[in-house]
Amino acid sequence: ELQSNGLQVSIIYVTGTYLKGSMMGGSTSELKDYAMVAAIVETSTDPWFFKTVGPQVTIDKWRSDFEKFAGTIKQE
């Protein structure tokens, strides 16, 4: 949890196997060792949702930068 310009932001981080779907309801692919980091921002109108998904090693490398970004969000 953090505050960004008066907005409440929840940061979510999950790891595991990502089930990548194909277009038009086709088959899925299992991608192991994946991660997602997301920010849920409570605004005065609607929640905003930002996320990134990728190999865990990549998400782990950029996670702190994503969280810094989440700390700059503002509503105008």
Side-chain angles (χ1 to χ4, degrees):
E1 301 284 327
L2 60 94
Q3 292 284 318
S4 176
N5 298 300
L7 302 171
Q8 181 68 33
V9 181
S10 299
I11 303 291
I12 310 300
Y13 176 76
V14 294
T15 62
T17 300
Y18 178 63
L19 297 177
K20 180 182 177 186
S22 62
M23 298 293 283
M24 307 294 280
S27 63
T28 59
S29 302
E30 288 189 8
L31 303 173
K32 298 198 180 293
D33 300 318
Y34 261 54
M36 176 184 76
V37 63
I40 302 165
V41 184
E42 298 175 31
T43 73
S44 62
T45 54
D46 294 306
W48 296 349
F49 184 79
F50 302 88
K51 74 174 184 174
T52 186
V53 176
Q56 185 174 351
V57 66
T58 303
I59 298 302
D60 288 349
K61 177 180 178 181
W62 296 103
R63 182 178 172 185
S64 65
D65 287 320
F66 182 91
E67 291 176 1
K68 287 178 192 172
F69 154 74
T72 67
I73 296 169
K74 64 181 177 179
Q75 183 175 11
E76 295 191 22

